[in-house]
Amino acid sequence: MGKIVVQIFLLGLFLQVLAVSAVDTNRLNIWPMPKSVSHGHSTLYLSKDFELKTDGSKYTDSSGILKDGFSRLLDIVEAAHVIDSNLTDSDQPVVLQGLHVVVFSLNDELQYGVDESYKLSVPANGKPVYAHLEAQTVYGALHGLQTFSQLCHFNFTSRVIEVHQVPWTIADQPRFSYRGLLIDTSRHYQPLLMIKKVIDSMAYAKLNVLHWHIVDKQSFPLEISSYPKLWNGAYSISERYTAADAAEIVSYAQRRGINVLAEIDVPGHALSWGIGYPRLWPSKDCPEPLDVSNEFTFKVIDGILSDFSKIFKFRFVHLGGDEVNTSCWIITPHIRNWLQKHKMNESDAYQYFVLRAQRIALSHGYEIVNWEETFNNFGNKLSRKTVVHNWLGGGVAQQVVASGLRCIVSNQDKWYLDHLDIMWQEFYMNEPLTNITNPKQQELVLGGEVCMWGEHIDGSDIEQTIWPRAAAAAERLWTPYDNLAKDPRQVTGRLAHFRCLLNQRGVAAAPLAGGGRVAPEEPGSCYMQ
């Protein structure tokens, strides 16, 4: 983007966010936009002893998920400034004493399709005054806490946290049950703390699936106890994840309402597997895709998925299946002989491999996600428990659901974060249900996912490459279609506000004025970049 174009963008943004600040009471700055929201014009301030009340709730919170969520709420609300007011609860304005949370379900299992709805109300007065949050599950309550956090602002005069525009009445639920973000730890290792930071930022935007593309051609960083030499394929001895590390990521994400979708991409994208087990290669001179003729290949896949089932509790596992170049199978004598014996060509062998891997995953209780090439090549042969992951372009989701299979949308021309030239406006306007009008077929679109492929991404730049563009997609996936802006210029100021909020919370979200990972053009307010 040229400097003149940037300056024009900044001028337009300035006009939209003029007077937007932490104390502005005249704008509605919630991201993603709730299903239903109304507000007033009064102000409360948070008591210095702001508390969580749960009386009347069926949910016992024996695991501490709600209590921890409330503690994080206080942390992020109070993180931006030091609260040093001398105000007491007897001073004006009216004091908000705490948050009364009622959760109706006793169950805190996190799975696909869990009820994430909530209702949040903040009254303008009462004796005493409490905000009220109701949810069917604790995970809906966590979303309500995130929304409440965005209603809180620091007052630079009184030095307290205030809630403006009360009374608030918000009823909310997600449009899609699958709202994902892919991270890639094979092309560059991501430290455990950085993955946790990404999970925290996902929760701020109400994304709920971390698609962990753990291994690929370049490295195999994960410990697999069934086949312990696999992680010999890591870049170095320190750039690895133990099984306990992986379990910690799953637990950390689950306590924030986020599922972890683990991926092993087979039969291609697997050269690193053979560092520890060279038998998996067709030959040392032609090491990829995995050897389809060798029973050991499928024993290793079975071992990996057996170990996965003890750690990754999400209903789905991702088996890849994309970009398979079968030429090594043809030029390797023992595989060529195996193909001839079984009356297969290379396309038949590709299908055989994918379907056999699917059967192994099913035997471990998983449903399967595969990249769209599997559907494009032999869609009618795939297990009916397959979710087809669209990435190559438009029109595929329409074909998938017409065939009766489920689909996740990640079309690379709109939702690939490593494509730095894709602007946030394109992320916002990308519609998963394009040309899908049949209600039953619409239900087969589980949702969508933005993809942070790691060829040029490590711990130094992952956050500013993800945000704020992922937030634009997050609103598309959360907010009812009729509530979405038909022109992204209508949400520029609100997204700028959310981006600045991320910065205040320690997330290195990049400016809006450009594609991915851009730097500020010149000195100026966060709200005007």
PDB file of all heavy atoms in Angstrom, residues 172-203:
ATOM      1  N   ASP A 172     -26.837 -13.329  23.563  1.00  0.00           N
ATOM      2  CA  ASP A 172     -25.810 -13.618  22.575  1.00  0.00           C
ATOM      3  C   ASP A 172     -25.611 -15.119  22.422  1.00  0.00           C
ATOM      4  O   ASP A 172     -25.781 -15.891  23.374  1.00  0.00           O
ATOM      5  CB  ASP A 172     -24.500 -12.967  23.024  1.00  0.00           C
ATOM      6  CG  ASP A 172     -23.535 -12.705  21.882  1.00  0.00           C
ATOM      7  OD1 ASP A 172     -23.920 -12.912  20.717  1.00  0.00           O
ATOM      8  OD2 ASP A 172     -22.402 -12.271  22.160  1.00  0.00           O
ATOM      9  N   GLN A 173     -25.244 -15.510  21.212  1.00  0.00           N
ATOM     10  CA  GLN A 173     -24.846 -16.881  20.910  1.00  0.00           C
ATOM     11  C   GLN A 173     -24.148 -16.891  19.575  1.00  0.00           C
ATOM     12  O   GLN A 173     -24.348 -15.985  18.746  1.00  0.00           O
ATOM     13  CB  GLN A 173     -26.062 -17.819  20.866  1.00  0.00           C
ATOM     14  CG  GLN A 173     -27.036 -17.546  19.733  1.00  0.00           C
ATOM     15  CD  GLN A 173     -28.255 -18.433  19.809  1.00  0.00           C
ATOM     16  OE1 GLN A 173     -29.018 -18.371  20.763  1.00  0.00           O
ATOM     17  NE2 GLN A 173     -28.424 -19.273  18.791  1.00  0.00           N
ATOM     18  N   PRO A 174     -23.283 -17.890  19.322  1.00  0.00           N
ATOM     19  CA  PRO A 174     -22.524 -17.888  18.079  1.00  0.00           C
ATOM     20  C   PRO A 174     -23.353 -18.332  16.886  1.00  0.00           C
ATOM     21  O   PRO A 174     -24.249 -19.172  17.001  1.00  0.00           O
ATOM     22  CB  PRO A 174     -21.393 -18.880  18.356  1.00  0.00           C
ATOM     23  CG  PRO A 174     -21.958 -19.814  19.371  1.00  0.00           C
ATOM     24  CD  PRO A 174     -22.879 -18.990  20.225  1.00  0.00           C
ATOM     25  N   ARG A 175     -23.003 -17.792  15.733  1.00  0.00           N
ATOM     26  CA  ARG A 175     -23.629 -18.217  14.484  1.00  0.00           C
ATOM     27  C   ARG A 175     -23.139 -19.601  14.073  1.00  0.00           C
ATOM     28  O   ARG A 175     -23.932 -20.431  13.619  1.00  0.00           O
ATOM     29  CB  ARG A 175     -23.302 -17.192  13.391  1.00  0.00           C
ATOM     30  CG  ARG A 175     -23.927 -17.494  12.041  1.00  0.00           C
ATOM     31  CD  ARG A 175     -23.460 -16.501  10.989  1.00  0.00           C
ATOM     32  NE  ARG A 175     -23.980 -16.840   9.681  1.00  0.00           N
ATOM     33  CZ  ARG A 175     -23.434 -16.456   8.534  1.00  0.00           C
ATOM     34  NH1 ARG A 175     -22.337 -15.704   8.545  1.00  0.00           N
ATOM     35  NH2 ARG A 175     -23.963 -16.815   7.388  1.00  0.00           N
ATOM     36  N   PHE A 176     -21.843 -19.854  14.193  1.00  0.00           N
ATOM     37  CA  PHE A 176     -21.249 -21.149  13.834  1.00  0.00           C
ATOM     38  C   PHE A 176     -20.613 -21.774  15.075  1.00  0.00           C
ATOM     39  O   PHE A 176     -20.034 -21.071  15.910  1.00  0.00           O
ATOM     40  CB  PHE A 176     -20.170 -20.986  12.759  1.00  0.00           C
ATOM     41  CG  PHE A 176     -20.697 -20.583  11.406  1.00  0.00           C
ATOM     42  CD1 PHE A 176     -20.593 -19.272  10.967  1.00  0.00           C
ATOM     43  CD2 PHE A 176     -21.286 -21.516  10.570  1.00  0.00           C
ATOM     44  CE1 PHE A 176     -21.065 -18.892   9.726  1.00  0.00           C
ATOM     45  CE2 PHE A 176     -21.767 -21.155   9.315  1.00  0.00           C
ATOM     46  CZ  PHE A 176     -21.662 -19.831   8.890  1.00  0.00           C
ATOM     47  N   SER A 177     -20.689 -23.100  15.155  1.00  0.00           N
ATOM     48  CA  SER A 177     -20.123 -23.808  16.301  1.00  0.00           C
ATOM     49  C   SER A 177     -18.630 -24.046  16.175  1.00  0.00           C
ATOM     50  O   SER A 177     -17.979 -24.391  17.156  1.00  0.00           O
ATOM     51  CB  SER A 177     -20.833 -25.152  16.496  1.00  0.00           C
ATOM     52  OG  SER A 177     -22.174 -24.957  16.873  1.00  0.00           O
ATOM     53  N   TYR A 178     -18.088 -23.887  14.978  1.00  0.00           N
ATOM     54  CA  TYR A 178     -16.652 -24.086  14.755  1.00  0.00           C
ATOM     55  C   TYR A 178     -16.061 -22.758  14.284  1.00  0.00           C
ATOM     56  O   TYR A 178     -16.358 -22.285  13.192  1.00  0.00           O
ATOM     57  CB  TYR A 178     -16.417 -25.177  13.707  1.00  0.00           C
ATOM     58  CG  TYR A 178     -14.952 -25.561  13.505  1.00  0.00           C
ATOM     59  CD1 TYR A 178     -14.468 -26.769  13.966  1.00  0.00           C
ATOM     60  CD2 TYR A 178     -14.073 -24.710  12.841  1.00  0.00           C
ATOM     61  CE1 TYR A 178     -13.133 -27.130  13.780  1.00  0.00           C
ATOM     62  CE2 TYR A 178     -12.746 -25.054  12.651  1.00  0.00           C
ATOM     63  CZ  TYR A 178     -12.288 -26.265  13.129  1.00  0.00           C
ATOM     64  OH  TYR A 178     -10.972 -26.609  12.940  1.00  0.00           O
ATOM     65  N   ARG A 179     -15.195 -22.172  15.134  1.00  0.00           N
ATOM     66  CA  ARG A 179     -14.585 -20.880  14.820  1.00  0.00           C
ATOM     67  C   ARG A 179     -13.091 -21.019  15.124  1.00  0.00           C
ATOM     68  O   ARG A 179     -12.655 -20.871  16.260  1.00  0.00           O
ATOM     69  CB  ARG A 179     -15.231 -19.761  15.653  1.00  0.00           C
ATOM     70  CG  ARG A 179     -16.758 -19.742  15.505  1.00  0.00           C
ATOM     71  CD  ARG A 179     -17.430 -18.686  16.363  1.00  0.00           C
ATOM     72  NE  ARG A 179     -17.086 -18.778  17.773  1.00  0.00           N
ATOM     73  CZ  ARG A 179     -17.616 -19.662  18.625  1.00  0.00           C
ATOM     74  NH1 ARG A 179     -18.537 -20.535  18.200  1.00  0.00           N
ATOM     75  NH2 ARG A 179     -17.242 -19.684  19.889  1.00  0.00           N
ATOM     76  N   GLY A 180     -12.325 -21.345  14.085  1.00  0.00           N
ATOM     77  CA  GLY A 180     -10.986 -21.845  14.315  1.00  0.00           C
ATOM     78  C   GLY A 180      -9.852 -20.926  13.911  1.00  0.00           C
ATOM     79  O   GLY A 180     -10.010 -19.987  13.126  1.00  0.00           O
ATOM     80  N   LEU A 181      -8.688 -21.244  14.470  1.00  0.00           N
ATOM     81  CA  LEU A 181      -7.416 -20.630  14.098  1.00  0.00           C
ATOM     82  C   LEU A 181      -6.378 -21.739  14.031  1.00  0.00           C
ATOM     83  O   LEU A 181      -6.199 -22.493  14.996  1.00  0.00           O
ATOM     84  CB  LEU A 181      -6.994 -19.586  15.140  1.00  0.00           C
ATOM     85  CG  LEU A 181      -5.540 -19.087  15.054  1.00  0.00           C
ATOM     86  CD1 LEU A 181      -5.309 -18.293  13.775  1.00  0.00           C
ATOM     87  CD2 LEU A 181      -5.176 -18.252  16.277  1.00  0.00           C
ATOM     88  N   LEU A 182      -5.710 -21.860  12.879  1.00  0.00           N
ATOM     89  CA  LEU A 182      -4.634 -22.828  12.715  1.00  0.00           C
ATOM     90  C   LEU A 182      -3.305 -22.181  13.062  1.00  0.00           C
ATOM     91  O   LEU A 182      -3.021 -21.059  12.649  1.00  0.00           O
ATOM     92  CB  LEU A 182      -4.605 -23.351  11.281  1.00  0.00           C
ATOM     93  CG  LEU A 182      -3.487 -24.338  10.896  1.00  0.00           C
ATOM     94  CD1 LEU A 182      -3.990 -25.316   9.843  1.00  0.00           C
ATOM     95  CD2 LEU A 182      -2.222 -23.631  10.376  1.00  0.00           C
ATOM     96  N   ILE A 183      -2.485 -22.899  13.835  1.00  0.00           N
ATOM     97  CA  ILE A 183      -1.078 -22.529  13.993  1.00  0.00           C
ATOM     98  C   ILE A 183      -0.224 -23.706  13.549  1.00  0.00           C
ATOM     99  O   ILE A 183      -0.612 -24.866  13.680  1.00  0.00           O
ATOM    100  CB  ILE A 183      -0.725 -22.108  15.432  1.00  0.00           C
ATOM    101  CG1 ILE A 183      -0.939 -23.250  16.418  1.00  0.00           C
ATOM    102  CG2 ILE A 183      -1.495 -20.872  15.839  1.00  0.00           C
ATOM    103  CD1 ILE A 183      -0.350 -22.978  17.791  1.00  0.00           C
ATOM    104  N   ASP A 184       0.954 -23.393  13.031  1.00  0.00           N
ATOM    105  CA  ASP A 184       1.839 -24.369  12.403  1.00  0.00           C
ATOM    106  C   ASP A 184       3.149 -24.384  13.192  1.00  0.00           C
ATOM    107  O   ASP A 184       3.893 -23.397  13.176  1.00  0.00           O
ATOM    108  CB  ASP A 184       2.054 -23.940  10.949  1.00  0.00           C
ATOM    109  CG  ASP A 184       3.129 -24.717  10.213  1.00  0.00           C
ATOM    110  OD1 ASP A 184       3.644 -25.696  10.771  1.00  0.00           O
ATOM    111  OD2 ASP A 184       3.444 -24.322   9.074  1.00  0.00           O
ATOM    112  N   THR A 185       3.428 -25.495  13.898  1.00  0.00           N
ATOM    113  CA  THR A 185       4.643 -25.569  14.709  1.00  0.00           C
ATOM    114  C   THR A 185       5.697 -26.465  14.076  1.00  0.00           C
ATOM    115  O   THR A 185       6.642 -26.869  14.756  1.00  0.00           O
ATOM    116  CB  THR A 185       4.319 -26.074  16.131  1.00  0.00           C
ATOM    117  OG1 THR A 185       3.702 -27.366  16.052  1.00  0.00           O
ATOM    118  CG2 THR A 185       3.396 -25.111  16.853  1.00  0.00           C
ATOM    119  N   SER A 186       5.536 -26.771  12.807  1.00  0.00           N
ATOM    120  CA  SER A 186       6.553 -27.545  12.108  1.00  0.00           C
ATOM    121  C   SER A 186       7.500 -26.639  11.336  1.00  0.00           C
ATOM    122  O   SER A 186       8.718 -26.822  11.379  1.00  0.00           O
ATOM    123  CB  SER A 186       5.913 -28.530  11.138  1.00  0.00           C
ATOM    124  OG  SER A 186       6.901 -29.140  10.335  1.00  0.00           O
ATOM    125  N   ARG A 187       6.951 -25.654  10.633  1.00  0.00           N
ATOM    126  CA  ARG A 187       7.803 -24.774   9.825  1.00  0.00           C
ATOM    127  C   ARG A 187       8.671 -23.885  10.722  1.00  0.00           C
ATOM    128  O   ARG A 187       9.819 -23.588  10.397  1.00  0.00           O
ATOM    129  CB  ARG A 187       6.947 -23.921   8.897  1.00  0.00           C
ATOM    130  CG  ARG A 187       6.560 -24.584   7.572  1.00  0.00           C
ATOM    131  CD  ARG A 187       5.882 -25.948   7.747  1.00  0.00           C
ATOM    132  NE  ARG A 187       5.494 -26.535   6.486  1.00  0.00           N
ATOM    133  CZ  ARG A 187       4.244 -26.467   5.998  1.00  0.00           C
ATOM    134  NH1 ARG A 187       3.281 -25.861   6.683  1.00  0.00           N
ATOM    135  NH2 ARG A 187       3.975 -27.035   4.845  1.00  0.00           N
ATOM    136  N   HIS A 188       8.118 -23.450  11.843  1.00  0.00           N
ATOM    137  CA  HIS A 188       8.890 -22.817  12.909  1.00  0.00           C
ATOM    138  C   HIS A 188       8.306 -23.257  14.244  1.00  0.00           C
ATOM    139  O   HIS A 188       7.088 -23.286  14.412  1.00  0.00           O
ATOM    140  CB  HIS A 188       8.864 -21.282  12.814  1.00  0.00           C
ATOM    141  CG  HIS A 188       9.751 -20.717  11.762  1.00  0.00           C
ATOM    142  ND1 HIS A 188       9.307 -20.439  10.492  1.00  0.00           N
ATOM    143  CD2 HIS A 188      11.076 -20.392  11.783  1.00  0.00           C
ATOM    144  CE1 HIS A 188      10.314 -19.957   9.765  1.00  0.00           C
ATOM    145  NE2 HIS A 188      11.398 -19.916  10.532  1.00  0.00           N
ATOM    146  N   TYR A 189       9.165 -23.579  15.174  1.00  0.00           N
ATOM    147  CA  TYR A 189       8.741 -23.962  16.512  1.00  0.00           C
ATOM    148  C   TYR A 189       8.131 -22.752  17.224  1.00  0.00           C
ATOM    149  O   TYR A 189       8.654 -21.632  17.138  1.00  0.00           O
ATOM    150  CB  TYR A 189       9.956 -24.465  17.283  1.00  0.00           C
ATOM    151  CG  TYR A 189       9.678 -24.852  18.719  1.00  0.00           C
ATOM    152  CD1 TYR A 189       9.158 -26.103  19.025  1.00  0.00           C
ATOM    153  CD2 TYR A 189       9.978 -23.979  19.760  1.00  0.00           C
ATOM    154  CE1 TYR A 189       8.932 -26.477  20.347  1.00  0.00           C
ATOM    155  CE2 TYR A 189       9.748 -24.334  21.081  1.00  0.00           C
ATOM    156  CZ  TYR A 189       9.220 -25.580  21.372  1.00  0.00           C
ATOM    157  OH  TYR A 189       8.986 -25.935  22.675  1.00  0.00           O
ATOM    158  N   GLN A 190       7.013 -22.978  17.900  1.00  0.00           N
ATOM    159  CA  GLN A 190       6.402 -21.948  18.727  1.00  0.00           C
ATOM    160  C   GLN A 190       6.544 -22.347  20.199  1.00  0.00           C
ATOM    161  O   GLN A 190       6.092 -23.427  20.589  1.00  0.00           O
ATOM    162  CB  GLN A 190       4.917 -21.777  18.385  1.00  0.00           C
ATOM    163  CG  GLN A 190       4.643 -21.140  17.032  1.00  0.00           C
ATOM    164  CD  GLN A 190       5.056 -19.676  16.980  1.00  0.00           C
ATOM    165  OE1 GLN A 190       5.270 -19.041  18.012  1.00  0.00           O
ATOM    166  NE2 GLN A 190       5.157 -19.140  15.774  1.00  0.00           N
ATOM    167  N   PRO A 191       7.180 -21.501  21.017  1.00  0.00           N
ATOM    168  CA  PRO A 191       7.327 -21.840  22.436  1.00  0.00           C
ATOM    169  C   PRO A 191       5.967 -22.022  23.104  1.00  0.00           C
ATOM    170  O   PRO A 191       4.962 -21.437  22.692  1.00  0.00           O
ATOM    171  CB  PRO A 191       8.069 -20.625  23.009  1.00  0.00           C
ATOM    172  CG  PRO A 191       8.726 -19.978  21.834  1.00  0.00           C
ATOM    173  CD  PRO A 191       7.824 -20.227  20.668  1.00  0.00           C
ATOM    174  N   LEU A 192       5.976 -22.813  24.166  1.00  0.00           N
ATOM    175  CA  LEU A 192       4.746 -23.100  24.886  1.00  0.00           C
ATOM    176  C   LEU A 192       4.056 -21.817  25.350  1.00  0.00           C
ATOM    177  O   LEU A 192       2.829 -21.678  25.246  1.00  0.00           O
ATOM    178  CB  LEU A 192       5.069 -24.004  26.082  1.00  0.00           C
ATOM    179  CG  LEU A 192       3.983 -24.966  26.562  1.00  0.00           C
ATOM    180  CD1 LEU A 192       3.629 -25.966  25.483  1.00  0.00           C
ATOM    181  CD2 LEU A 192       4.451 -25.693  27.821  1.00  0.00           C
ATOM    182  N   LEU A 193       4.826 -20.875  25.856  1.00  0.00           N
ATOM    183  CA  LEU A 193       4.232 -19.625  26.351  1.00  0.00           C
ATOM    184  C   LEU A 193       3.581 -18.839  25.225  1.00  0.00           C
ATOM    185  O   LEU A 193       2.559 -18.178  25.430  1.00  0.00           O
ATOM    186  CB  LEU A 193       5.297 -18.775  27.052  1.00  0.00           C
ATOM    187  CG  LEU A 193       5.737 -19.267  28.437  1.00  0.00           C
ATOM    188  CD1 LEU A 193       6.853 -18.377  28.986  1.00  0.00           C
ATOM    189  CD2 LEU A 193       4.570 -19.298  29.413  1.00  0.00           C
ATOM    190  N   MET A 194       4.156 -18.892  24.024  1.00  0.00           N
ATOM    191  CA  MET A 194       3.546 -18.176  22.905  1.00  0.00           C
ATOM    192  C   MET A 194       2.247 -18.838  22.487  1.00  0.00           C
ATOM    193  O   MET A 194       1.269 -18.156  22.161  1.00  0.00           O
ATOM    194  CB  MET A 194       4.524 -18.091  21.733  1.00  0.00           C
ATOM    195  CG  MET A 194       3.955 -17.318  20.529  1.00  0.00           C
ATOM    196  SD  MET A 194       3.376 -15.650  20.962  1.00  0.00           S
ATOM    197  CE  MET A 194       4.948 -14.830  21.273  1.00  0.00           C
ATOM    198  N   ILE A 195       2.198 -20.165  22.483  1.00  0.00           N
ATOM    199  CA  ILE A 195       0.947 -20.842  22.158  1.00  0.00           C
ATOM    200  C   ILE A 195      -0.129 -20.459  23.164  1.00  0.00           C
ATOM    201  O   ILE A 195      -1.291 -20.216  22.801  1.00  0.00           O
ATOM    202  CB  ILE A 195       1.149 -22.370  22.114  1.00  0.00           C
ATOM    203  CG1 ILE A 195       2.142 -22.754  21.002  1.00  0.00           C
ATOM    204  CG2 ILE A 195      -0.186 -23.081  21.886  1.00  0.00           C
ATOM    205  CD1 ILE A 195       2.478 -24.236  20.972  1.00  0.00           C
ATOM    206  N   LYS A 196       0.246 -20.355  24.433  1.00  0.00           N
ATOM    207  CA  LYS A 196      -0.726 -19.944  25.447  1.00  0.00           C
ATOM    208  C   LYS A 196      -1.191 -18.509  25.215  1.00  0.00           C
ATOM    209  O   LYS A 196      -2.368 -18.181  25.399  1.00  0.00           O
ATOM    210  CB  LYS A 196      -0.124 -20.090  26.842  1.00  0.00           C
ATOM    211  CG  LYS A 196       0.033 -21.544  27.283  1.00  0.00           C
ATOM    212  CD  LYS A 196       0.592 -21.635  28.700  1.00  0.00           C
ATOM    213  CE  LYS A 196       0.633 -23.070  29.184  1.00  0.00           C
ATOM    214  NZ  LYS A 196       1.144 -23.183  30.570  1.00  0.00           N
ATOM    215  N   LYS A 197      -0.295 -17.634  24.798  1.00  0.00           N
ATOM    216  CA  LYS A 197      -0.694 -16.256  24.489  1.00  0.00           C
ATOM    217  C   LYS A 197      -1.686 -16.226  23.333  1.00  0.00           C
ATOM    218  O   LYS A 197      -2.654 -15.451  23.338  1.00  0.00           O
ATOM    219  CB  LYS A 197       0.526 -15.403  24.149  1.00  0.00           C
ATOM    220  CG  LYS A 197       1.363 -14.965  25.334  1.00  0.00           C
ATOM    221  CD  LYS A 197       2.310 -13.832  24.935  1.00  0.00           C
ATOM    222  CE  LYS A 197       1.531 -12.523  24.692  1.00  0.00           C
ATOM    223  NZ  LYS A 197       2.427 -11.422  24.309  1.00  0.00           N
ATOM    224  N   VAL A 198      -1.437 -17.062  22.323  1.00  0.00           N
ATOM    225  CA  VAL A 198      -2.367 -17.143  21.199  1.00  0.00           C
ATOM    226  C   VAL A 198      -3.735 -17.626  21.676  1.00  0.00           C
ATOM    227  O   VAL A 198      -4.779 -17.100  21.266  1.00  0.00           O
ATOM    228  CB  VAL A 198      -1.803 -18.062  20.098  1.00  0.00           C
ATOM    229  CG1 VAL A 198      -2.866 -18.370  19.047  1.00  0.00           C
ATOM    230  CG2 VAL A 198      -0.583 -17.423  19.442  1.00  0.00           C
ATOM    231  N   ILE A 199      -3.749 -18.616  22.559  1.00  0.00           N
ATOM    232  CA  ILE A 199      -5.016 -19.126  23.097  1.00  0.00           C
ATOM    233  C   ILE A 199      -5.751 -18.024  23.852  1.00  0.00           C
ATOM    234  O   ILE A 199      -6.970 -17.846  23.695  1.00  0.00           O
ATOM    235  CB  ILE A 199      -4.754 -20.349  23.990  1.00  0.00           C
ATOM    236  CG1 ILE A 199      -4.302 -21.540  23.145  1.00  0.00           C
ATOM    237  CG2 ILE A 199      -5.999 -20.713  24.794  1.00  0.00           C
ATOM    238  CD1 ILE A 199      -3.768 -22.706  23.950  1.00  0.00           C
ATOM    239  N   ASP A 200      -5.039 -17.271  24.676  1.00  0.00           N
ATOM    240  CA  ASP A 200      -5.675 -16.163  25.398  1.00  0.00           C
ATOM    241  C   ASP A 200      -6.307 -15.168  24.434  1.00  0.00           C
ATOM    242  O   ASP A 200      -7.441 -14.725  24.625  1.00  0.00           O
ATOM    243  CB  ASP A 200      -4.647 -15.441  26.274  1.00  0.00           C
ATOM    244  CG  ASP A 200      -4.275 -16.229  27.519  1.00  0.00           C
ATOM    245  OD1 ASP A 200      -5.092 -17.054  27.973  1.00  0.00           O
ATOM    246  OD2 ASP A 200      -3.175 -16.009  28.044  1.00  0.00           O
ATOM    247  N   SER A 201      -5.575 -14.811  23.389  1.00  0.00           N
ATOM    248  CA  SER A 201      -6.102 -13.829  22.442  1.00  0.00           C
ATOM    249  C   SER A 201      -7.277 -14.384  21.649  1.00  0.00           C
ATOM    250  O   SER A 201      -8.196 -13.638  21.288  1.00  0.00           O
ATOM    251  CB  SER A 201      -4.999 -13.333  21.504  1.00  0.00           C
ATOM    252  OG  SER A 201      -4.434 -14.387  20.750  1.00  0.00           O
ATOM    253  N   MET A 202      -7.280 -15.689  21.374  1.00  0.00           N
ATOM    254  CA  MET A 202      -8.440 -16.313  20.734  1.00  0.00           C
ATOM    255  C   MET A 202      -9.691 -16.129  21.591  1.00  0.00           C
ATOM    256  O   MET A 202     -10.771 -15.826  21.086  1.00  0.00           O
ATOM    257  CB  MET A 202      -8.186 -17.802  20.501  1.00  0.00           C
ATOM    258  CG  MET A 202      -7.173 -18.128  19.435  1.00  0.00           C
ATOM    259  SD  MET A 202      -6.835 -19.920  19.356  1.00  0.00           S
ATOM    260  CE  MET A 202      -8.437 -20.547  18.822  1.00  0.00           C
ATOM    261  N   ALA A 203      -9.530 -16.330  22.905  1.00  0.00           N
ATOM    262  CA  ALA A 203     -10.675 -16.194  23.799  1.00  0.00           C
ATOM    263  C   ALA A 203     -11.233 -14.772  23.779  1.00  0.00           C
ATOM    264  O   ALA A 203     -12.448 -14.583  23.867  1.00  0.00           O
ATOM    265  CB  ALA A 203     -10.273 -16.586  25.219  1.00  0.00           C
TER     266      ALA A 203
END
